[in-house]
Amino acid sequence: MPDAVTPAETSATAAARRHDPDVRGFASDNYAGVHPEVLAAIALANNGHQVSYGEDVYTEHLQEVFQAHFGPRAQAFPVFNGTGANVVALQAVTERWEAVICAETAHIHVDECGAPEKMGGLKLLTVPTEAGKLTPELIDRQAWGWGDQHRSQPRVVSIAESTELGTVYTADELAEICRHAHDHGMLVHLDGSRLANAAASLGVPMRALSTDVGVDIMSFGGTKNGLMFGEAVVVLNPDVVRGVEYVRKMSMQLGSKMRFMSVQFEALLAGDLWLRNASHANAMAARLSAAVADIPGVELTRPAQSNAVFAILPREATERLQKRFRFYTWNEGTGEVRWMTSFDTTEADIDTFAAAVREELA
């Protein structure tokens, strides 16, 4: 019989690295690892005991951190993931008979497996857009029917910054949307999973694209910008929001060891890590866009305003590239692909990938 294995040996074997750390992909910024400063913060919060379910000192202090960015009325509620943040936020500002207006390409419509409808009981009223961005005129295609008992009542306009197509709303565009929604008696939800990238792209504080333009409630992203896990529902207008803490629990988004969520956000937001990470990811997308722009057979379909590059390639070239690098086909009909960059994408990664694109299209 083999010799007995000690617990220490078993743990060491279980923790063996099972991937090549030099491998990079361009499928999603979720593929990236955890920023070292965030890992250090998690370790800092790890010793000893703290009260569970958000009554710890890190979550208490987190309110000050978010208020420094989003104003003195901001209230942050950490959750596990982006879909949970969106569903919790939208439930907190709607009644059962009310609906949410969003772009056809919105994450809540396309990429959340029906969670807002099935789990949140929300009707989504979608609008086709040119570049993933709503306008007051587009909102009005669905902003009607109040008082009609046969129609779901429009209550919330949900926008994403940056959008699913990598485009960015200016502060003026967002302010116009918020004014228009409020004039109709509606509220505004911001899906801010990549809000940091949008703010970095425009060179403005994050509150300039949220609190200052009139957003009522927000889903704030962390995982795509260097966190291990965790997003946050951020209430910006407490006067129109109710029961977030209860909806969070009911939606299975209440973390028992919440200090490990909260301390990550503190590491991200207390200094400039959020901006450093987002700015770098954006710069790598701009580098990639420039590197492939002159390759025959590559058609860039959208401006690289954040950390996403969209392009159309011959289908056979895409299939060959996907065997060498992970990325997704965005539109099967047109052959459009999406390449995402992240805080840990390097210039060498970009240059290697661009050379592979050129090689496959030669």
Side-chain angles (χ1 to χ4, degrees):
M1 293 182 63
D3 294 336
V5 178
T6 67
E9 290 172 336
T10 302
S11 298
T13 302
R17 192 190 300 277
R18 302 182 188 278
H19 76 289
D20 181 351
D22 294 326
V23 170
R24 291 290 197 276
F26 296 89
S28 172
D29 35 12
N30 287 322
Y31 278 41
V34 183
H35 193 280
E37 293 177 35
V38 174
L39 283 174
I42 293 172
L44 180 72
N46 191 45
N47 294 323
H49 287 200
Q50 275 288 299
V51 184
S52 58
Y53 298 110
E55 295 184 42
D56 59 275
V57 294
Y58 295 95
T59 303
E60 180 182 358
H61 178 64
L62 185 65
Q63 303 310 313
E64 298 177 19
V65 173
F66 268 94
Q67 287 165 7
H69 283 278
F70 299 104
R73 303 185 76 204
Q75 302 169 359
F77 298 85
V79 296
F80 289 117
N81 54 53
T83 296
N86 286 333
V87 172
V88 169
L90 291 171
Q91 286 185 96
V93 290
T94 54
E95 299 289 354
R96 288 177 295 168
W97 54 87
E98 292 178 328
V100 178
I101 299 172
C102 63
E104 255 183 8
T105 54
H107 198 277
I108 58 174
H109 176 56
V110 175
D111 289 309
E112 296 187 347
C113 198
E117 290 117 331
K118 187 172 181 63
M119 303 303 295
L122 298 160
K123 173 66 175 175
L124 299 182
L125 303 172
T126 63
V127 180
T129 64
E130 184 68 26
K133 295 167 65 175
L134 290 175
T135 65
E137 293 74 25
L138 291 174
I139 290 168
D140 282 347
R141 295 186 183 184
Q142 292 285 11
W144 55 273
W146 290 286
D148 181 354
Q149 65 181 325
H150 301 287
R151 175 172 166 80
S152 294
Q153 301 292 283
R155 176 57 174 164
V156 180
V157 174
S158 180
I159 51 182
E161 180 74 310
S162 58
T163 73
E164 285 297 286
L165 302 182
T167 51
V168 172
Y169 289 95
T170 66
D172 287 344
E173 289 172 328
L174 292 173
E176 186 179 13
I177 287 172
C178 289
R179 280 195 300 269
H180 191 73
H182 293 157
D183 285 347
H184 279 300
M186 297 188 293
L187 306 175
V188 178
H189 163 256
L190 177 66
D191 182 342
S193 66
R194 295 186 178 97
L195 178 61
N197 297 93
S201 175
L202 295 171
V204 299
M206 289 186 289
R207 68 171 292 158
L209 305 175
S210 52
T211 310
D212 293 349
V213 295
V215 170
D216 296 291
I217 194 167
M218 172 176 66
S219 306
F220 183 78
T223 308
K224 292 178 172 63
N225 202 26
L227 269 59
M228 180 182 292
F229 65 94
E231 317 291 308
V233 174
V234 185
V235 175
L236 301 176
N237 181 5
D239 297 336
V240 298
V241 179
R242 59 192 179 91
V244 179
E245 58 269 52
Y246 304 111
V247 176
R248 177 174 61 176
K249 177 64 174 181
M250 182 178 66
S251 301
M252 298 169 285
Q253 289 291 319
L254 178 64
S256 58
K257 295 186 179 180
M258 196 179 296
R259 59 173 155 155
F260 297 111
M261 294 182 184
S262 298
V263 76
Q264 292 182 79
F265 279 111
E266 182 176 349
L268 186 70
L269 297 174
D272 67 347
L273 181 59
W274 70 273
L275 183 58
R276 283 187 278 130
N277 284 356
S279 296
H280 179 80
N282 290 356
M284 292 301 98
R287 184 182 182 93
L288 176 56
S289 181
V292 302
D294 65 343
I295 299 177
V298 174
E299 177 191 351
L300 294 172
T301 55
R302 311 177 197 281
Q305 296 180 335
S306 54
N307 64 321
V309 177
F310 288 82
I312 293 177
L313 314 179
R315 196 173 302 276
E316 59 275 12
T318 293
E319 292 173 353
R320 291 194 301 269
L321 273 170
Q322 286 175 325
K323 293 177 181 178
R324 301 169 63 179
F325 301 88
R326 289 295 299 266
F327 63 88
Y328 295 120
T329 299
W330 185 259
N331 187 320
E332 293 287 350
T334 64
E336 185 178 33
V337 300
R338 185 190 74 167
W339 299 321
M340 298 295 300
T341 55
S342 62
F343 78 88
D344 65 351
T345 304
T346 67
E347 292 183 355
D349 295 334
I350 297 298
D351 297 345
T352 299
F353 181 66
V357 175
R358 190 177 298 275
E359 178 183 326
E360 295 296 349
L361 289 169

